[in-house]
Structure formats: C-alpha cells, structure tokens
Amino acid sequence: MSEHRRKPPQSPGDGRAAARRGAQQQPPPPGGRRAAGPPRPQPHGTGSGQGYGPRQGMGQPPRQDAGAGTGGRASTGGRARGAEPPYQGRAAARRAAQSSQKGGRRRSATDAQGGRGGGQPPKKRIVDYPRWGKDGWRRWMPSWKLVSGLCLFFFGSLVAVAGVGYAMVGIPNENDAAKSQNNVYYWADGSRMVATGTGANRQNVGLAEIPKAMQNAVISAENKTFETDSGVDPMGVGRALFNMARGGQAQGGSTITQQYVKNTFLSQDQTVTRKFKELFISIKVGTKLEKDDILQGYLNTSYYGRSAYGIQAAAQTYYGVDASKLTPSQCAFLAALLKGPTYYDPAGATSIDSTATPESNRKNSERRWKWILGEMYKDGKLSKDDYTEAVSEYPEPQGLKATKGMTGQISYLVDTAQNYVLAHSDISRAELDRGGYEIRTTFDKKKVDALQKAVKKVEKANINPKKEKDKYVQFGAASVKPDDGAIVAIYGGAGFENNHFTNNADTKGVPVGSTWKPFVLAAAMEYGTYRSDGEGISPLSQYNGNDHIKIKNNDGTYVLKKDNTPFFQENESPKPWGFITLRKAMEQSVNSPFVQLGMDVGMEKVADVAEKTGILKASMAGRNASFALGTSTPSAIRMADAYATFAASGKHVDPYSVVWVKKNGTEVDGFDKPKVSRVMPAEVADNVTDVLENVIQNGTGFRAKELGRKAAGKTGTTDSNKSAWFVGYTQQLSTAVAMFRENPKTHGLMSMNGTAGVESIHGGDIPTEIWTAYMKGAVTGPDTGFPDAPKIGDIHNGEGAPSPTPSVSVTPSETPSSTPTPTVSRPQAPPTPTESGNCKPWQWDCQDGGGSNNGGTTDGGTGGTPSSSPSSSTTGKSNGGNGSNGGLLGGPGG
C-alpha cells in the first residue's frame, strides 16, 4: 500500500470525537457563519508546525501548536506532520469555545454546534422550548403543539384529580353528624366545674315526621331549584374559592345539598382545601342520594340556635312541640333562623354581638318570617287562605330555658368562658355546641361562692320582692386580679333556672355614674388642661363646686343645650362649696368641678385614658359635658379591670377568663395570657389611688372602712336613680358591684327611688355593703397597702378661683374626720351628725346639710334644667345630698 494511501496511526485523541472537539475549538471564520455540511479531509503534509484540522483548506486559519500561540494543543519539539495534538479534555474545549466568543460575534453555544440557523440539530427534546432553529421573538413564542399539549395535560390532570377526589370521599351520614360530646369546664385550680353539652338536645326524625310546610319553607328561602338542580352551584363555589384565596370573607354553599354537606363536617374551617372536599362530596351526594334523603339530612343537621340541632330539637326549644305539630307560620319562623340565629332569634345574642339586641333581632325575624311566607305563596307552596292565616300573627317563640347543669352562677361562668373562647379563636358557636372541648378557666370557686353569698345576704336584708319598688332589682359584680387580668369571680344574676339569662357581670347597658370621675382626674394629671399648657395638674387644684353653675368651653363661651340656652350643671345639693380642691370634690363626689375639669382637659383625652385602662370604646357615651359624670355603660368586668390599672400603678392587662382550651388532648391556639403593658405613668395612677383612699376614709365610700385594710374606691349613682355602683380595690383584688332595676320583658332601666324603703339608692349604700362583705372573705394575706403617691403637677385652678392662699372651705381632707360623713341610708340606720349637725337622716326635706350623703353627687349632677334658683330643682333632697332629678343632658352623680 502506498504511503499516501496508508491510514496514519491515531493517537487516543484522534477519531470522530477529536474532530468534533477540534471543530468546537476553531475560532469563528472571519467571513461569517461557517458552511453547513461535514468537514472535508485535508491532505497530509501541510507543513511543519501546521495542525491537522477538519476544515483546513476551507478558508479557516491553520491550527497552531502550543509553541506557536494559544488555543492549540501542546507538543514536544513542534508538531509532526499529520500528527493530532494530544486530547486535553472537555474543560479545555469549553475554555477554547469561550475564548472564541470574545471575537465579537454574539452567538450561543447552540449556534456553534449548528443549533440555530443550520448545522446538525441538537439532541431531540421532549419540550422544544426555547424553540430550536428560530431567532428573536419567535424563539420564545411557544408552538401550537406545545400549547395544545399543555392544555391537554392540564385538563387531563384536573380530570384525574377530580376522579381520585370523587372516589376517595364518602357520603355523609346524618346520624354521624348528630353525635356530640360534652364540654368540660374546670376551675382555676384544675378541679372540675361542670360538664355540659348538646347531646340531649338533638334527635333525628324521618321526613314523614317533618311538616310539608317546613320542607317548602327551606326550599323557597334557601334553594328554589333544589328539586331539579345537580346539588352544586359552580358559580357559587367559584366565588367562594376566589374570595377565600384572596383573603376575603368566607362564603358558604348556596344549595341545600352543599349546606347539608357542610353541616356534616365536624370542622367548619373555611379553607380552600375543605371547600374542594365539600365540592366532591356534594357532587357525589347529588348523584347517589335521593332529594328526599338530602332534604331530610339538611333539616336534621342544621343549627337553629339555643344549642338546638335539627328540626325536632328546634321545635321543642322554641315551641315546646314535636316537629310534626308545627304550623306553617312556625315553620317559616324556624326557616328564618337558618339565616343565622345570632341575628334572628328574638331573644337576642348581645353576649356574642352587641348589635344582636332583642329589639333588633325581633325586627330581623319578623321581616324574614314574612318574606319566607310570601315566597312560599309565590312558589305555589301555600294557598291564599293558608298564607293569609299564617301571616296574620307572628308566632311568638318561648323564652330561653336552662340546660342541664347550667344553674346558679355556673350558668354565667360558662357563658363568660364561652364568649371568651369564641372571641379569641376560630372556633364557631356551632362547633363549641357540638362539644368535645376541655376549658380551663380563671374562676376561683371560693371567691365565686363568697361573692354570691355576699349578694344574697345583703339582698335578703334589704330587698322584698313582694313590694312594688323592690321588684326587678338586680345585681352584677366582677372581681379581677390587678397586674394579671384574671377574672376570679363574677355574679351574673339569679340564674338561668330562674329565667334570668342576661349576665349582669357582663351587661353593657347600665351607666356607671361617678365611678367615672377617676378617669377625668387621671387625664388632668397626665395631660393637664388648656390653662396649664398641657402640663399635668395637681389634685390640689381648685375648681368651683357650687350648684347650678354654667360650664365654659376652652374659648370662654358657655356650653349650650340643644335649644341654644346655657347649660347649667346641677349638684346633688345646693350647698355653696365655693372653690374646692379636686381631692375634696372626689371625696364628696361633687359634680360641677369634674364637669368643668373635663371640658378643660378635653373629653377625648378622658375617653383615651378610660380606653387605655380597659374600657371598651363601644360602651362610651357621647362626648358632651355630662360625659365626665359617667353616662357611659361599661360592664362590671371592665370597670373592675380598669380600676385594677390604678391598683397596679398604671400597668394594665386585658381581662381574661380562659387559661387554655383543648380538643382531643391538643391545645387550641389563641389562649396565651394577655400581656402586661404600661398605659399610665405610675405617679398618676398612685395619685389617683391616694385620692380614692380618701373617698373611703372621709367620703362617700366610708362603709368600706369595715374591710379593715387599706383600700381605695369610688361610689356612683346615676340620673333618676336608675343605677348605683361601687368600684374599689386593694393591691390583691379589684371588684365592681352594680345595682339596678330592670323588667326583663321591657328591657329598660327603672328608677330605684323608694327601693329598699329609702328615698333613693346610692353607690355608698347597698353596693358598698356587698363589696365590703365579699372582700372580707376574698382578700387574704398581709395588708401591704399601696405605694406612696409622689407630688405631681402644679396647682392650676379653674377660672375665677381666688388667690392660692388656702382657706378653711377649700382645705382637702388629709385625715379622717372625727365623725364619718353619712350617706342617705335606710331609716333604721343610726343617725350620724352631718358636717353642720342640723339634719337627721329621716328628715327627707332638710336642705342645710352639705352634700354629705354620697357627697351631693347623685342624679342632680346631670346637665340640669335652667331654673330661677338652685332650690327649684332640688325637690326631695335629704341632707342636701340625695336629689333624684337630673338635668337635660343627663349627668350621673355619686
């Protein structure tokens, strides 16, 4: 074989792979892209030092050895003719390719391998994206094959998921849904308080036992197409899913089938996952069950309020009859409850939502009841005669009833704990009623018993329900630990078993009277007045304490009533106090200084202080002049908590009644102990405490001295003598006691003039007696007293005050007076001389006292009606301190 035909020997780097690597290492030709097609073989003997390359002779520069330049392969002593440089590996090939790209052409590695614009196509890809062989925007535009393939894959996946979901879910059973467990409540020490549940208040019945009118009522009201639809409303489901996905308010199923499915879930979590599961079950129920079975299941699993599940329990709860005995009118009423018993039960549900009052709920119920009957008539479900009879009279339901175990104070303790659970977790009322929860409360059994015993003892000694003026007298009380917030005891009323279902410890409709004045004083000491340029003022600042005075705005103009006439503030007594210190005015609960002080500070600042100490803004009254005198209506729990802030030197903790909640042994989130926060400077809170200590030692709360330890507190009585309060505290415990009259059927406060055989009831009387009797047994341990109150602020007197030289009439009471100042008391109370010593307690028309009875602070200080003389509005005042007539704007007193 001739030499030129003999195949040269190949080194390990030779062959096709080497040729490809050599091609990758070639710099781009100066004339543009290289031609397509296989490389042409080159003849041997191209010269010493000149490389052997696949495209040599095709206009490309010869390869160089390592000694001639960069990019070539190394050789020893030059490159032999026809010899291929040794293979250096992939890394060298990559570096050569990167070096070649620095020549200025913007071409990708795919182009260098013949990917775009020619050459051999790359290895076949399942998804051709970015697209091979395309330039510019076309390279990134997906092909129709890719789009159609993705669509088919997407819809196929949906079908597969739907199929799996449909196969995996089961059809709900109404009997399983009817199962319920007890909720177990524990005292603070861990001992069992009560187990209560709904198992006895539900019973499934067959469709034959459910009146046709009830079936038609829910169809007409909830799902008119129930008998013909597939059981699922795709648009409704889509809206619900979209709304939940973007964090909006959850929405329920719109068909009866979907609602039945939702009812059978023990978990009512409004999540996308649960909604999908509900959708699959609804589809399966719609295809597997008859419409009658679905309707029966829906009526047997729905919640009608008052812990009643199912139509049979609802019929017994609201009308005391079996479901089969319900009239069309009653059926429409019960169907209206399915919209939401919280807002459609005429009994109201203010403990859940303050807007769900009996009056509001009654209107909602009547409106929807009448609408449902009208829909039934339009749908041909009621004849004209039946419709006329049904709509002629609203079917009044029965009142609330006590359930098993819910008696005495236990009913109010459970009610308080339930409301706390609902407010601090995602647990719904329906879920809570189903049971299965363990709830550890903050209630101290000994203190609860002591509070109930104190109320009953004082009530028995003073109130005779057979007397007209003693009818409907009610009490509410609450006790809170300062610096902790735990509610340790409440008194809610006579008990559910006595048809008293309102929790008086948590009621929001009883004005607090002069127990509001400490908030005014605290605001003045913290924020100052417009006369002090915002600097806090001293409680020794003097204000006009006379009766029937005009109140001024900050610009010097007089406060006007609605008829544009000047507003006069009335005191309980016409006693001419003159300019007295705020400390003295608090001691004797004189109204006029605090009304003017509130205007000077700004009522919004007073409201701010009250809110920071725990008073809910929703319970605050309008910011008129009488706002300073306690026209607001916070609950006993909130008042006890607010005063606990003073006891804790300005540190506040939100009141709480639940320590933990467990379900199936696992704690539920949301019940961490509330955090302590400073809401008031310590010197302000301690000065308020110092002033309120003086109220007990020398003023209207003197009965609390019987406690025998250091305590602070304030009395309060309201316009027309409709309520009386005492709120007081030691360092260990803060307690509020309220007394009022209210007919449960009329839901309006009644005057207590004449109650307990006296002209009027004051905070210093029965409420203070109850407070003292309870605190004697509830407060134990050493009497640590309170921190010393440092000097605070400068003296900034009200407008028109005399020179700062103190006089006898304005000297504050720093020590107990030799003879305690009496309050208006029952006739049998021993007569105690007043400051002037001229009036006796049984001399109801005596007027030369000096406001010693509850400090002349009761209802007289309410806005006042202008009169020619102070005496014209003081009729019936005993010792100058017991008037019951208030003013136009309403201003409770002390």
Side-chain angles (χ1 to χ4, degrees):
M1 182 181 292
S2 61
E3 180 68 19
H4 72 276
R5 291 175 62 88
R6 183 182 303 159
K7 185 175 182 180
Q10 294 182 353
S11 67
D14 294 336
R16 294 180 180 177
R20 285 196 299 272
R21 287 193 295 272
Q24 292 174 349
Q25 292 176 356
Q26 294 296 327
R33 293 186 180 178
R34 68 189 177 196
R40 296 179 181 178
Q42 300 297 316
H44 298 286
T46 55
S48 176
Q50 187 167 319
Y52 177 89
R55 295 197 178 191
Q56 197 160 331
M58 295 182 63
Q60 297 197 23
R63 298 176 61 180
Q64 298 175 344
D65 59 23
T70 60
R73 292 181 178 170
S75 64
T76 58
R79 186 179 298 169
R81 185 177 63 181
E84 186 73 24
Y87 172 66
Q88 292 186 351
R90 294 182 180 178
R94 284 195 298 271
R95 287 193 296 270
Q98 293 170 356
S99 176
S100 69
Q101 291 176 358
K102 296 179 180 180
R105 288 188 55 84
R106 301 179 61 184
R107 189 174 61 175
S108 69
T110 303
D111 298 332
Q113 299 177 39
R116 275 194 308 170
Q120 294 296 326
K123 186 177 179 180
K124 187 174 182 181
R125 296 181 293 173
I126 296 176
V127 178
D128 183 21
Y129 192 83
R131 297 175 67 185
W132 174 80
K134 301 293 183 181
D135 289 318
W137 64 269
R138 292 181 180 84
R139 176 172 168 77
W140 303 101
M141 178 63 67
S143 66
W144 67 270
K145 293 180 181 180
L146 178 60
V147 173
S148 58
L150 288 176
C151 289
L152 288 174
F153 176 78
F154 176 74
F155 288 111
S157 299
L158 286 182
V159 172
V161 170
V164 172
Y166 183 86
M168 291 182 64
V169 298
I171 296 177
N173 188 317
E174 63 187 84
N175 293 315
D176 292 337
K179 294 177 182 178
S180 63
Q181 306 174 60
N182 284 333
N183 288 324
V184 182
Y185 294 83
Y186 299 95
W187 294 103
D189 62 4
S191 60
R192 181 163 163 167
M193 178 196 302
V194 67
T196 180
T198 62
N201 196 29
R202 63 186 308 159
Q203 177 186 350
N204 290 342
V205 293
L207 196 63
E209 301 176 69
I210 302 175
K212 195 67 177 177
M214 188 67 205
Q215 301 175 39
N216 293 332
V218 296
I219 291 174
S220 291
E222 305 286 333
N223 185 191
K224 289 181 181 292
T225 62
F226 168 72
E227 295 170 339
T228 58
D229 63 33
S230 63
V232 176
D233 177 11
M235 294 298 293
V237 173
R239 286 193 302 270
L241 289 174
F242 176 75
N243 204 34
M244 285 187 291
R246 66 186 182 92
Q249 185 177 6
Q251 297 178 350
S254 57
T255 70
I256 286 177
T257 303
Q258 288 175 260
Q259 292 182 59
Y260 166 47
V261 170
K262 186 179 69 172
N263 290 345
T264 60
F265 275 95
L266 292 181
S267 172
Q268 297 294 313
D269 296 336
Q270 292 290 350
T271 62
V272 174
T273 302
R274 192 193 70 81
K275 204 69 183 175
F276 268 117
K277 189 175 181 181
E278 178 186 309
L279 174 63
F280 291 135
I281 297 177
S282 299
I283 294 173
K284 198 164 190 175
V285 168
T287 58
K288 297 292 185 181
L289 294 184
E290 298 293 334
K291 290 292 184 179
D292 284 353
D293 295 330
I294 296 173
L295 184 59
Q296 173 184 305
Y298 172 62
L299 292 170
N300 277 328
T301 59
S302 293
Y303 181 59
Y304 295 82
R306 302 190 188 181
S307 299
Y309 277 87
I311 185 61
Q312 175 67 11
Q316 288 288 349
T317 298
Y318 287 93
Y319 293 108
V321 300
D322 289 334
S324 59
K325 305 292 185 182
L326 291 170
T327 67
S329 182
Q330 292 170 338
C331 289
F333 169 85
L334 295 177
L337 292 173
L338 297 177
K339 184 74 172 176
T342 298
Y343 303 101
Y344 289 87
D345 181 356
T350 52
S351 62
I352 300 176
D353 188 334
S354 60
T355 64
T357 62
E359 296 78 12
S360 173
N361 282 18
R362 175 62 180 260
K363 292 179 181 178
N364 293 340
S365 177
E366 285 194 28
R367 184 167 55 249
R368 187 162 178 82
W369 160 76
K370 188 176 293 185
W371 175 81
I372 291 175
L373 289 174
E375 293 299 300
M376 293 172 68
Y377 175 64
K378 287 194 298 183
D379 295 341
K381 307 296 185 181
L382 275 182
S383 67
K384 184 175 182 180
D385 291 341
D386 289 340
Y387 168 75
T388 303
E389 180 182 355
V391 80
S392 63
E393 184 178 359
Y394 178 74
E396 195 72 44
Q398 297 178 152
L400 297 170
K401 295 179 181 179
T403 57
K404 183 179 179 181
M406 297 286 280
T407 58
Q409 294 310 300
I410 295 295
S411 53
Y412 305 113
L413 296 173
V414 170
D415 178 72
T416 302
Q418 283 182 343
N419 291 336
Y420 189 87
V421 169
L422 295 175
H424 291 80
S425 71
D426 294 329
I427 300 172
S428 68
R429 186 63 188 237
E431 287 179 289
L432 192 60
D433 282 344
R434 283 192 179 98
Y437 293 93
E438 295 179 89
I439 301 171
R440 176 82 167 265
T441 72
T442 60
F443 303 126
D444 185 317
K445 187 177 187 304
K446 292 183 179 179
K447 289 180 173 58
V448 170
D449 291 342
L451 184 55
Q452 178 175 251
K453 182 179 179 181
V455 172
K456 293 300 182 183
K457 177 183 177 181
V458 177
E459 181 180 26
K460 183 178 180 180
N462 297 285
I463 305 299
N464 184 357
K466 294 182 180 180
K467 294 182 178 180
E468 184 64 29
K469 293 293 185 178
D470 286 1
K471 287 182 179 180
Y472 312 123
V473 171
Q474 299 183 36
F475 297 93
S479 199
V480 175
K481 291 173 66 174
D483 210 15
D484 183 279
I487 306 171
V488 296
I490 62 170
Y491 180 85
F496 284 13
E497 72 276 18
N498 293 314
N499 294 321
H500 186 90
F501 295 94
T502 300
N503 186 352
N504 290 345
D506 200 24
T507 186
K508 301 176 180 63
V510 183
V512 296
S514 289
T515 58
W516 195 261
K517 289 175 181 175
F519 303 130
V520 183
L521 179 60
M525 289 192 291
E526 182 173 357
Y527 297 113
T529 68
Y530 79 98
R531 299 175 62 83
S532 69
D533 294 326
E535 295 292 330
I537 70 172
S538 166
L540 298 181
S541 300
Q542 299 178 21
Y543 270 75
N544 189 348
N546 288 334
D547 181 46
H548 196 70
I549 66 170
K550 295 179 182 180
I551 302 299
K552 288 187 175 182
N553 296 304
N554 291 354
D555 60 3
T557 61
Y558 290 112
V559 174
L560 301 178
K561 296 184 296 184
K562 291 182 179 179
D563 61 0
N564 289 325
T565 58
F567 163 67
F568 288 85
Q569 178 57 54
E570 305 291 336
N571 287 334
E572 183 69 26
S573 159
K575 177 182 174 68
W577 288 98
F579 280 83
I580 57 175
T581 65
L582 297 174
R583 180 184 175 89
K584 184 70 175 180
M586 185 76 77
E587 172 196 300
Q588 297 298 324
S589 204
V590 185
N591 289 341
S592 50
F594 286 98
V595 175
Q596 187 60 65
L597 178 64
M599 296 299 295
D600 291 354
V601 173
M603 294 301 181
E604 285 299 332
K605 287 187 174 63
V606 175
D608 177 65
V609 167
E611 186 177 0
K612 287 191 295 187
T613 61
I615 303 298
L616 299 178
K617 183 175 291 187
S619 67
M620 295 188 196
R623 310 298 193 265
N624 58 24
S626 294
F627 180 71
L629 298 179
T631 53
S632 299
T633 59
S635 66
I637 291 174
R638 287 289 170 176
M639 286 300 291
D641 179 63
Y643 272 48
T645 304
F646 299 136
S649 297
K651 290 183 290 184
H652 174 254
V653 188
D654 283 333
Y656 67 102
S657 59
V658 175
V659 177
W660 51 250
V661 175
K662 293 182 180 179
K663 181 70 179 287
N664 298 325
T666 302
E667 284 199 30
V668 179
D669 293 335
F671 299 99
D672 294 334
K673 182 178 177 180
K675 295 181 179 180
V676 180
S677 59
R678 175 161 296 284
V679 298
M680 181 183 297
E683 59 270 21
V684 172
D686 291 340
N687 269 274
V688 170
T689 295
D690 182 65
V691 171
L692 296 186
E693 280 188 276
N694 185 58
V695 171
I696 291 178
Q697 291 300 317
N698 303 301
T700 59
F702 75 94
R703 292 180 186 274
K705 287 195 292 184
E706 295 178 17
L707 177 61
R709 63 169 61 220
K710 292 183 179 180
K714 183 69 187 76
T715 59
T717 312
T718 60
D719 190 22
S720 300
N721 201 207
K722 290 183 177 179
S723 63
W725 288 73
F726 184 76
V727 187
Y729 54 92
T730 64
Q731 270 210 321
Q732 297 89 349
L733 212 54
S734 176
T735 302
V737 179
M739 177 181 178
F740 55 95
R741 286 182 71 205
E742 183 178 29
N743 187 335
K745 295 182 179 180
T746 59
H747 297 288
L749 296 182
M750 306 165 66
S751 174
M752 291 189 292
N753 288 337
T755 296
V758 298
E759 185 179 13
S760 60
I761 298 294
H762 299 83
D765 295 329
I766 292 177
T768 306
E769 288 184 31
I770 292 174
W771 183 91
T772 306
Y774 162 66
M775 294 289 279
K776 281 182 178 180
V779 181
T780 58
D783 184 4
T784 57
F786 301 102
D788 292 334
K791 180 181 181 299
I792 188 172
D794 294 326
I795 294 177
H796 289 277
N797 297 329
E799 183 180 8
S803 62
T805 304
S807 64
V808 175
S809 63
V810 299
T811 302
S813 300
E814 300 291 346
T815 58
S817 57
S818 58
T819 304
T821 306
T823 62
V824 168
S825 182
R826 291 168 289 287
Q828 66 268 26
T832 305
T834 63
E835 193 170 8
S836 63
N838 295 327
C839 294
K840 305 300 181 183
W842 56 83
Q843 293 178 290
W844 309 115
D845 57 348
C846 180
Q847 297 187 20
D848 65 351
S852 59
N853 295 315
N854 280 303
T857 62
T858 318
D859 314 308
T862 59
T865 302
S867 58
S868 56
S869 64
S871 60
S872 64
S873 61
T874 59
T875 304
K877 294 180 182 178
S878 172
N879 289 323
N882 292 313
S884 61
N885 297 324
L888 256 172
L889 297 184

